[in-house]
Amino acid sequence: MWIQPEEVLLAGALWVSERANPFFILQRRRGHGRGGGLSGLLVGTLDVVLDSSARVAPYRILLQTADSQIYWNIACGSSRKEITEHWDWLESNLLQTISIFDNDEDVTTFVKGKICGIIAEENRLKPSDEQEEDSGKFREAELKMRRLFGMPDEEKLVNYYSCSYWKGRVPRQGWLYLSVNHLCFYSFLLGKEVTLVVPWTEVTQLEKNATLLFPESVRVSTRHTEHFFSMFLNINDTFKLMEQLANIAMRQLLDNEAFAADRSLPKPCKTLKNVSVLKRDLDARAKNERYRAMFRLTQDERLDGHTDCTLWTPFAKMHVVGQLFISNNYICFNSREEDLCQLIIPLREVSIVEKADSSSVLPCPVSISTKNKMTFLFANLKDRDFLVQRISDFLQRTPDSLWGDTSPLSLIGQSVRQAQLRLRVSSSFDPASSSVPSSSSVGSESIQKGRHYHPGLPTASQGLLQLYHQDALEDLGPKAMKEKMKEEAWNIHFSEFGRGVCMYRTSRTRELVLNGIPECLRGELWLLFSGAQNEMASHPGYYGDLVEQAMGLCSLATEEIERDLHRSMPEHRAFQNEMGIAALRRVLTAYAHRNPGIGYCQAMNIVTSVLLLYCTEEEAFWLLVALCERMLPDYYNTRVVGALVDQGVFEELTRAFLPLLYEHMQELGVISTISLSWFLTLFLSVMPFDSAVLLVDCFFYEGIKVTFQVALAVLHDNMDALLSCSDEGEAMTILGRYLDNVVNKQTVAPPIPHLHALLTSGDEPPPEIDVFDLIKSSYEKFGSLRSDVIEQMRFRQRLKVIQSLEDTAKRSVVRAMMTESAFSIEELEDLYCLFKSKHMTSCYWGSSSSAAERHDPSLPYLEQYRIDPVQFAQLFSALAPWTCGGHTSMLSARLFRLLDQNQDGLVNFKEFITGLSGMYHGDMTEKLKLLYKLHLPPGNVPQLTWFSKPGHQVQPDFQNPCCSQRLQLPDFSLSVAEVKDYRYYLRMWAKEKEPKRETIKDLPRMNQEQFIELCKTLYNMFSEEPMEQQLYHSIATVASLLLRIGEVGKKFNNGAKKAETAAQAPPSSLQKEERPGEGVSDESQVCQALADAQLEPAAPQTPDDDIKDDTSVSSYSVVSSGSLQCEDIADDTVLIGGSEQRRGSVLDVDWSITFEQVLASLLTEPPLVDYFETKRDIQAKMAACKAQRAVERQTSSTSDHELTQHST
């Protein structure tokens, strides 16, 4: 390729000149290609260690002038062909022009300008989304990676690092390439080459450790082996990137979504050296995730930047040091000291942003005022002008619907008095109503009544607990006073720290939460701490529209919801009538419609019912969104992966904090049993309601950390009893009775019976445990847990859990297919891995259909992963025993259409194994039956008419006789006298459900065109067999015999019909039929078909009189497009080319044969019988398929290291 001209001082060092003229020199890297000896080995080693571009471009062209000692590198190439094209272009286009220049400087300037112009033109012609922003050095590394490891252009390099790979006890210095989908390593030292490729989807563990043997190393574990890398310049940066890429791969396995680069990233002001666009993308994603997790923001929030500053806190009368974060919808602050102060300001709440006067005490301050009359003063800002400009840019993009009559830009830089005058005209902000969206009065009352959800519903304006409180509150004495004191404490907090989304969150806030949130404030504060209030405010009317779309739709999720509605807190009054049940139905159905990937999972009903007690329907919906999508990620999907991950984290924490108990609990297997129910329902299903709801308070403020703390505290309090347990049941009973007796002595609500407690209570009631004491104990003993540490542990466990689930799925598939195929367990496992890898490869290297269309988690494991015709053809050509040369793709397409029973353009693993097993393990009859069916509909139907798009079902205009086993309902139209007992109908139903075994008599007849195609397929199948000539002779004999059988059958079956047709036919057709040798044209059809199916290139056409019989070639003469007439063909005569082209020939529509006739004819030829009776071994094929990637990598790197073979 042409490159920007670079200076070269020593043109002859490590390079060999191959061509030269007065102005240009073509050079080859010393040691590349054949020969080179010791110097070649040393040069190759230096190129690898020093990351020389000569490894990827071993050829170059230099510009030279007679008077200058400086050379200019203007082109490089990875192959001789590429560099020769550039050389020829220079000689034909530039050499003559520059030869007339008098000044050498003019020559250099002219050539450099010409090369730069070519490069600029090439970049201009590229589409905008393909133009490269990466540096030249990085593009060289990416090209090198693709050549060394045989990767396609779709595989993007993220970064590469110099390191050592420990192969045995010897470190190999080389380069580690981290791409989106693979971890690759390459080393070449003194002729010893090491190549390693590990897909991220196969990684089971990533660990950074430092041992005596492997100092400061990274261990990458897969199912079968471990790899150690060390000697990194920055091991922390490398390890973080590895974690990110492995996490993306696990998400791909979980959701089947390929990695998509972020196109909205801001472009850097200058090209960063050795930093790719993808690396910037991943770094930005990591920062965004930390930012969103810190402030509980929505998934679409993007961090624009952050800076150090101070915040004036009026409640403490001091400046707090911390960081200011700016994103597209929020201004956030977090103190450097943990829990000192945190602040979230939505831009929709901002009314004024202005620069205040600087002073020595308050340098570079910025004042931000909100609609609810709160003012925040930030100081010590490094670039205040730029910060105010960025905030104004984001304010401009804030939707007008959230601003009322006031334009946000009109308030930037205005004085406080002018802004206040403008705000008086606009609608004022009421903090009390901020958590409840205002209902528009546009819709009439009749329209509202016709909707499933409207503001007139009781649950649209208040929680169920308020609706079902007794009219006259009982005087509960000290409990009521305690509740009043809590309310007053929160009111004082609101007056000092603010109320609503812009409230200062400090250590005082956490103290109040741990002491219990008053019931009247619980819904409001849950919304605030979870971030659901921000999401609800930015999506007004979303829930109501979602309910209208979802209600009335029937799906698997809605059926499960209806089944569980009456199991949701049945002991509570609110869910003993239709109002509470209807509200719960609407919320769950709306969320299932919003997120089909989750739909509905058991335990969601319990959590949602508690949310509805304290919140309105819309608020409960957004809280459920926050739980499922942010606070408890992947908890409620089909495989509860998130809960299993946290279960693994809990086991790891138990081992760290309670090592003695951990060993004993592992022996009993208790931890995995208890933790799932605790985490999925946030203790709501295992603890009395009044106590568990306090844990929910802490959870919404602190996150999952509280759940782990309380779970550890429960185990710690029962340690002695658990250590004395001898079985799992006893341990479960101890923990169950303990949790049943965790009470809330301060509750003012009437007691709610706990069903689990009623079932597990024994003769001696255990002592009661105050829930406040339990929470306090958990913070005292296990409060050192940090959220970032938990996230690291979650990552490690996610790798284990998802890979374990994949192994479980594989075992389930193998177990199910054992009874339906003759493959061994090991063969089925290998075939499943190949099938799955083909599916996964298409996810990130492109395919004709998206991954979502080909993966449906709701289906059984056998049917979850599906491949399209292109992928099927690749597997067929690699694994099928019937190799047909150039005809393989057509046979593959026929088999695909035959296996695709639902006609959606996709084949699942079960269908794939069914077809493969028939070819490998069927007897001769089964194999011939499959081959016969491949040439009948739907196998022989052209692909374009079979389906239009993968995943889109179409109905063809024929019935598949091989796959159309439809369930026929019994005929119940019996007279009254013939009424049968129910057992009769059950027997009939069972008989109908039994799969009907297909016999050879069920196969339809084959017409002449289909028979010709069958003959072509058989001809191609025998091309590489040892007994090739005998098989050709046998199939020719069988074809001739079957043609005659078809003719006899036609005369026998259609004699009368033929005579009638002949009487009505035109004279031209009568003349054709009256020609002698009626069967000759049919046999010539087959002759021509066999000639068309030849594997060798066709010879040019020759006149009839120039063609002579050549019996010396073989017993089977191939005539490419000859015109010999097949005249009197006997049983032992070999077929040769026919006289007519197949397309121009007239097919006999009355001619047909049956499968029995084909089978009987083939049985007369021993070579054919031996061929179809021979057992084929798939192990060699699978081994070759697995090694295919390695072979490609070896081939791609051989051109660079031919000297290795030469020297050894």
Side-chain angles (χ1 to χ4, degrees):
M1 62 179 179
W2 301 108
I3 60 175
Q4 294 289 345
E6 300 174 348
E7 284 189 8
V8 177
L9 296 177
L10 299 175
L14 307 181
W15 293 85
V16 179
S17 298
E18 294 195 339
R19 295 187 187 182
N21 59 42
F23 297 99
F24 301 106
I25 304 175
L26 191 155
Q27 294 185 326
R28 172 178 55 83
R29 187 70 167 177
R30 191 180 300 275
H32 178 78
R34 298 189 179 278
L38 181 60
S39 63
L41 291 176
L42 292 174
V43 171
T45 301
L46 285 174
D47 287 343
V48 170
V49 174
L50 301 179
D51 191 31
S52 169
S53 61
R55 293 294 302 161
V56 66
Y59 297 94
R60 71 180 183 181
I61 297 177
L62 300 181
L63 167 67
Q64 66 168 357
T65 54
D67 298 336
S68 176
Q69 298 297 320
I70 297 176
Y71 297 81
W72 294 89
N73 187 7
I74 60 174
C76 64
S78 59
S79 64
R80 187 180 297 275
K81 178 182 178 183
E82 180 185 2
I83 204 69
T84 303
E85 290 176 355
H86 287 50
W87 178 267
D88 293 342
W89 186 90
L90 289 171
E91 286 191 329
S92 60
N93 292 278
L94 290 187
L95 195 58
Q96 187 175 1
T97 304
I98 62 179
S99 62
I100 63 175
F101 282 49
D102 296 331
N103 191 345
D104 289 343
E105 291 184 3
D106 293 342
V107 172
T108 304
T109 304
F110 176 79
V111 174
K112 287 168 61 177
K114 194 71 175 177
I115 299 302
C116 292
I118 294 173
I119 296 173
E121 182 66 15
E122 289 177 349
N123 291 333
R124 188 185 66 82
L125 295 176
K126 286 183 179 179
S128 58
D129 57 343
E130 292 183 9
Q131 290 186 4
E132 299 171 339
E133 300 176 10
D134 298 329
S135 65
K137 186 75 173 175
F138 191 87
R139 287 200 297 271
E140 286 180 5
E142 187 170 48
L143 184 59
K144 186 190 301 184
M145 179 203 72
R146 290 173 184 161
R147 290 190 64 250
L148 290 175
F149 307 106
M151 301 290 182
D153 292 343
E154 291 82 4
E155 186 69 5
K156 302 297 183 182
L157 178 65
V158 180
N159 213 349
Y160 63 106
Y161 303 91
S162 173
C163 70
S164 293
Y165 170 57
W166 291 79
K167 192 170 184 181
R169 295 185 178 181
V170 180
R172 302 295 179 91
Q173 186 66 29
W175 290 89
L176 180 70
Y177 298 89
L178 303 181
S179 70
V180 173
N181 304 295
H182 296 88
L183 178 150
C184 307
F185 178 83
Y186 180 79
S187 173
F188 178 77
L189 296 177
L190 300 178
K192 298 294 184 180
E193 186 177 24
V194 176
T195 305
L196 174 70
V197 177
V198 179
W200 289 115
T201 51
E202 294 181 7
V203 173
T204 58
Q205 188 175 0
L206 274 178
E207 188 176 1
K208 182 176 65 174
N209 51 21
T211 62
L212 187 62
L213 183 61
F214 302 113
E216 196 88 62
S217 63
V218 174
R219 183 178 67 177
V220 181
S221 303
T222 63
R223 287 181 176 85
H224 309 294
T225 185
E226 292 182 343
H227 307 284
F228 289 89
F229 302 91
S230 64
M231 303 293 289
F232 291 97
L233 293 177
N234 189 344
I235 191 171
N236 293 325
D237 183 45
T238 309
F239 186 71
K240 284 181 181 177
L241 182 57
M242 285 181 168
E243 284 186 325
Q244 275 188 283
L245 294 171
N247 218 357
I248 291 172
M250 294 306 105
R251 176 60 56 186
Q252 188 173 298
L253 284 174
L254 186 60
D255 297 337
N256 239 255
E257 293 181 356
F259 174 81
D262 190 350
R263 297 290 182 185
S264 63
L265 280 179
K267 293 187 178 181
C269 54
K270 62 179 181 178
T271 302
L272 302 176
K273 185 179 180 182
N274 295 345
V275 177
S276 69
V277 176
L278 281 178
K279 179 67 167 62
R280 290 177 47 235
D281 183 359
L282 290 173
D283 290 343
R285 289 179 187 224
K287 290 180 181 178
N288 286 334
E289 288 174 5
R290 288 195 296 269
Y291 170 64
R292 290 192 294 258
M294 184 185 300
F295 299 104
R296 304 275 174 82
L297 303 178
T298 58
Q299 298 295 329
D300 57 350
E301 199 63 26
R302 297 172 184 272
L303 178 64
D304 186 69
H306 59 88
T307 183
D308 294 331
C309 70
T310 60
L311 170 66
W312 171 254
T313 53
F315 54 87
K317 301 295 188 294
M318 62 181 289
H319 292 278
V320 176
V321 179
Q323 281 192 319
L324 181 69
F325 299 84
I326 307 294
S327 62
N328 47 342
N329 292 300
Y330 297 92
I331 301 171
C332 302
F333 174 85
N334 194 43
S335 61
R336 187 176 297 172
E337 183 181 343
E338 190 177 3
D339 287 337
L340 187 59
C341 182
Q342 191 181 74
L343 184 65
I344 301 172
I345 309 173
L347 292 182
R348 66 177 185 276
E349 299 294 327
V350 173
S351 60
I352 306 169
V353 178
E354 62 179 355
K355 293 180 284 187
D357 296 332
S358 295
S359 65
S360 58
V361 181
L362 205 63
C364 299
V366 170
S367 173
I368 299 177
S369 301
T370 63
K371 296 179 183 178
N372 58 350
K373 309 300 177 19
M374 293 184 70
T375 302
F376 305 96
L377 188 62
F378 300 94
N380 291 281
L381 294 163
K382 292 181 180 178
D383 195 345
R384 182 174 61 165
D385 295 337
F386 178 75
L387 176 69
V388 173
Q389 182 60 43
R390 290 303 295 164
I391 295 175
S392 68
D393 292 342
F394 287 125
L395 283 172
Q396 186 178 9
R397 301 172 198 168
T398 304
D400 295 335
S401 60
L402 301 177
W403 277 90
D405 300 330
T406 307
S407 171
L409 284 182
S410 64
L411 301 176
I412 299 296
Q414 299 291 329
S415 67
V416 178
R417 183 174 300 172
Q418 291 173 338
Q420 287 176 345
L421 288 175
R422 294 191 179 210
L423 281 175
R424 286 174 188 169
V425 181
S426 64
S427 56
S428 60
F429 177 77
D430 183 9
S433 62
S434 63
S435 61
V436 181
S438 60
S439 58
S440 67
S441 58
V442 177
S444 63
E445 188 176 348
S446 60
I447 294 178
Q448 289 184 358
K449 287 183 179 179
R451 293 171 62 90
H452 293 92
Y453 174 80
H454 55 84
L457 288 173
T459 52
S461 57
Q462 51 187 331
L464 290 172
L465 208 59
Q466 292 176 314
L467 293 172
Y468 286 94
H469 256 314
Q470 296 181 3
D471 297 333
L473 289 176
E474 299 179 6
D475 185 10
L476 299 179
K479 291 185 178 180
M481 292 300 297
K482 190 76 174 178
E483 187 76 4
K484 289 290 185 183
M485 290 172 64
K486 287 183 183 179
E487 293 179 23
E488 188 60 30
W490 275 99
N491 288 329
I492 294 172
H493 183 275
F494 292 149
S495 64
E496 291 184 7
F497 299 89
R499 186 169 188 172
V501 289
C502 299
M503 179 178 71
Y504 292 97
R505 306 176 194 201
T506 66
S507 55
R508 173 61 180 158
T509 312
R510 187 169 74 170
E511 291 176 9
L512 289 175
V513 172
L514 296 183
N515 289 329
I517 299 176
E519 288 190 357
C520 60
L521 297 175
R522 187 160 275 148
E524 175 187 345
L525 293 175
W526 282 359
L527 284 168
L528 177 65
F529 297 143
S530 66
Q533 182 169 339
N534 290 321
E535 203 162 4
M536 185 176 71
S538 57
H539 295 83
Y542 176 83
Y543 171 69
D545 295 339
L546 202 62
V547 170
E548 299 309 314
Q549 297 171 18
M551 295 303 289
L553 298 179
C554 185
S555 65
L556 181 62
T558 56
E559 292 176 5
E560 293 177 347
I561 289 171
E562 289 297 327
R563 187 181 62 222
D564 288 347
L565 282 176
H566 294 278
R567 306 176 187 173
S568 309
M569 295 190 68
E571 66 275 11
H572 200 285
R573 288 181 57 196
F575 298 99
Q576 294 171 359
N577 59 78
E578 185 55 31
M579 181 188 297
I581 295 295
L584 183 60
R585 177 188 294 113
R586 285 191 291 269
V587 173
L588 291 175
T589 305
Y591 185 77
H593 189 68
R594 166 191 165 89
N595 193 342
I598 292 178
Y600 171 77
C601 174
Q602 285 187 339
M604 286 174 68
N605 59 321
I606 296 174
V607 175
T608 308
S609 60
V610 175
L611 300 179
L612 282 169
L613 289 176
Y614 298 99
C615 307
T616 65
E617 273 188 50
E618 186 174 12
E619 293 169 349
F621 170 79
W622 287 113
L623 278 171
L624 185 63
V625 170
L627 275 175
C628 296
E629 299 175 12
R630 297 198 302 275
M631 302 188 73
L632 297 176
D634 301 323
Y635 257 61
Y636 300 107
N637 57 21
T638 52
R639 297 189 282 182
V640 292
V641 172
L644 293 174
V645 168
D646 282 349
Q647 175 181 297
V649 173
F650 182 54
E651 291 185 10
E652 199 172 336
L653 290 172
T654 306
R655 183 173 60 228
F657 287 98
L658 307 170
L660 292 177
L661 184 59
Y662 171 78
E663 296 295 336
H664 187 64
M665 296 283 277
Q666 283 295 98
E667 294 175 5
L668 300 180
V670 175
I671 295 181
S672 59
T673 307
I674 59 174
S675 55
L676 207 58
S677 60
W678 292 4
F679 297 153
L680 275 173
T681 63
L682 301 175
F683 288 96
L684 287 166
S685 63
V686 295
M687 196 180 285
F689 171 77
D690 295 327
S691 303
V693 78
L694 291 174
L695 300 183
V696 177
D697 293 342
C698 301
F699 169 78
F700 277 122
Y701 187 79
E702 294 273 20
I704 193 64
K705 164 187 168 182
V706 174
T707 310
F708 288 126
Q709 288 180 186
V710 173
L712 288 170
V714 171
L715 293 183
H716 183 271
D717 288 352
N718 294 274
M719 183 183 296
D720 295 336
L722 291 173
L723 287 173
S724 62
C725 291
S726 58
D727 58 33
E728 179 185 0
E730 186 179 355
M732 293 291 294
T733 303
I734 290 172
L735 292 173
R737 296 190 69 181
Y738 176 88
L739 291 172
D740 290 337
N741 287 275
V742 176
V743 297
N744 178 7
K745 298 179 180 179
Q746 299 180 11
T747 181
V748 295
I752 301 173
H754 188 223
L755 293 184
H756 190 263
L758 296 177
L759 294 174
T760 59
S761 59
D763 298 332
E764 297 181 4
E768 292 183 344
I769 300 95
D770 193 338
V771 66
F772 292 101
D773 293 339
L774 178 62
I775 294 173
K776 182 180 178 181
S777 171
S778 72
Y779 273 89
E780 290 175 351
K781 296 172 182 173
F782 310 105
S784 60
L785 281 179
R786 294 175 55 88
S787 299
D788 54 346
V789 175
I790 291 175
E791 287 303 317
Q792 286 289 327
M793 298 169 74
R794 276 179 162 177
F795 165 75
R796 290 196 297 268
Q797 295 298 327
R798 191 177 293 115
L799 290 179
K800 294 180 183 178
V801 167
I802 294 181
Q803 297 291 11
S804 174
L805 290 173
E806 293 298 312
D807 292 341
T808 303
K810 181 171 71 173
R811 287 193 296 269
S812 301
V813 168
V814 170
R815 216 167 27 241
M817 290 304 300
M818 281 296 295
T819 58
E820 301 190 22
S821 71
F823 289 115
S824 65
I825 295 178
E826 292 77 14
E827 290 173 343
L828 283 173
E829 287 181 348
D830 290 342
L831 286 171
Y832 179 80
C833 292
L834 289 172
F835 188 89
K836 177 97 177 284
S837 66
K838 186 63 65 176
H839 169 87
M840 296 305 300
T841 302
S842 68
C843 289
Y844 50 74
W845 283 350
S847 178
S848 56
S849 58
S850 68
E853 290 176 333
R854 287 177 280 112
H855 179 258
D856 186 356
S858 63
L859 294 174
Y861 286 128
L862 274 173
E863 304 173 17
Q864 277 192 12
Y865 295 102
R866 297 176 290 175
I867 56 176
D868 57 25
V870 177
Q871 300 164 309
F872 182 85
Q874 294 169 355
L875 285 177
F876 181 87
S877 60
L879 299 174
W882 297 341
T883 54
C884 300
H887 198 65
T888 303
S889 58
M890 185 178 296
L891 192 64
S892 167
R894 291 177 182 274
L895 181 59
F896 183 90
R897 291 191 288 268
L898 181 69
L899 297 175
D900 185 17
Q901 298 188 16
N902 60 353
Q903 305 166 17
D904 63 349
L906 299 169
V907 165
N908 60 42
F909 182 69
K910 181 179 180 180
E911 295 167 337
F912 173 74
I913 289 297
T914 301
L916 205 60
S917 181
M919 289 187 282
Y920 272 101
H921 300 294
D923 56 16
M924 179 178 178
T925 304
E926 291 296 324
K927 292 177 181 177
L928 288 174
K929 188 162 64 171
L930 175 61
L931 202 58
Y932 184 86
K933 287 156 66 174
L934 289 177
H935 297 82
L936 297 173
N940 67 337
V941 176
Q943 185 172 353
L944 292 176
T945 62
W946 174 241
F947 54 85
S948 57
K949 180 183 176 183
H952 175 67
Q953 295 190 11
V954 292
Q955 295 299 329
D957 56 355
F958 56 78
Q959 283 295 329
N960 178 1
C962 315
C963 309
S964 58
Q965 301 292 339
R966 298 288 185 264
L967 184 63
Q968 300 293 331
L969 296 177
D971 184 11
F972 293 111
S973 57
L974 299 173
S975 62
V976 178
E978 297 175 339
V979 172
K980 304 290 185 182
D981 140 307
Y982 73 93
R983 286 171 295 186
Y984 168 78
Y985 296 114
L986 287 176
R987 283 194 300 271
M988 288 183 63
W989 183 262
K991 187 175 180 180
E992 289 291 338
K993 289 192 71 174
E994 289 179 1
K996 184 179 178 183
R997 186 169 183 82
E998 187 181 55
T999 64
I1000 59 177
K1001 295 184 179 296
D1002 298 328
L1003 295 175
R1005 300 177 72 89
M1006 178 178 280
N1007 62 33
Q1008 194 175 83
E1009 183 180 10
Q1010 295 162 356
F1011 175 69
I1012 293 173
E1013 293 294 330
L1014 175 62
C1015 291
K1016 289 175 66 176
T1017 300
L1018 289 171
Y1019 172 89
N1020 284 277
M1021 284 172 62
F1022 306 146
S1023 60
E1024 299 176 5
E1025 291 297 318
M1027 299 177 62
E1028 181 177 353
Q1029 301 304 323
Q1030 294 90 327
L1031 288 168
Y1032 285 159
H1033 188 281
S1034 297
I1035 194 58
T1037 305
V1038 169
S1040 177
L1041 177 61
L1042 286 171
L1043 282 170
R1044 296 178 175 234
I1045 291 175
E1047 289 298 324
V1048 173
K1050 180 179 68 172
K1051 294 177 180 178
F1052 182 75
N1053 294 325
N1054 302 325
K1057 181 178 177 181
K1058 182 178 178 183
E1060 182 181 351
T1061 305
Q1064 299 175 358
S1068 60
S1069 61
L1070 288 175
Q1071 291 175 3
K1072 288 183 181 179
E1073 286 195 357
E1074 289 169 358
R1075 290 177 182 172
E1078 188 174 1
V1080 172
S1081 63
D1082 293 334
E1083 294 184 356
S1084 64
Q1085 295 275 349
V1086 182
C1087 296
Q1088 183 62 32
L1090 294 178
D1092 292 342
Q1094 62 181 332
L1095 298 177
E1096 299 176 357
Q1101 289 190 3
T1102 55
D1104 293 353
D1105 52 4
D1106 292 340
I1107 298 177
K1108 298 181 180 179
D1109 292 337
D1110 185 4
T1111 57
S1112 63
V1113 177
S1114 70
S1115 60
Y1116 180 78
S1117 300
V1118 177
V1119 181
S1120 60
S1121 53
S1123 54
L1124 289 179
Q1125 296 289 340
C1126 298
E1127 296 182 353
D1128 200 11
I1129 299 180
D1131 290 345
D1132 56 349
T1133 305
V1134 180
L1135 297 176
I1136 56 176
S1139 62
E1140 298 175 353
Q1141 294 292 332
R1142 180 171 161 240
R1143 291 186 179 178
S1145 304
V1146 179
L1147 295 169
D1148 193 340
V1149 295
D1150 294 327
W1151 186 98
S1152 65
I1153 55 173
T1154 64
F1155 177 72
E1156 293 97 320
Q1157 293 168 341
V1158 174
L1159 178 61
S1161 302
L1162 286 169
L1163 287 172
T1164 62
E1165 292 294 324
L1168 290 175
V1169 174
D1170 292 341
Y1171 176 83
F1172 285 106
E1173 289 285 353
T1174 302
K1175 295 295 183 183
R1176 311 280 174 169
D1177 184 19
I1178 198 174
Q1179 291 288 349
K1181 294 266 189 183
M1182 287 193 295
C1185 192
K1186 288 179 185 177
Q1188 184 177 4
R1189 294 293 305 157
V1191 170
E1192 290 175 0
R1193 291 194 296 272
Q1194 184 179 356
T1195 303
S1196 66
S1197 57
T1198 300
S1199 60
D1200 285 345
H1201 305 295
E1202 292 173 349
L1203 57 95
T1204 305
Q1205 299 176 356
H1206 197 69
S1207 60
T1208 54

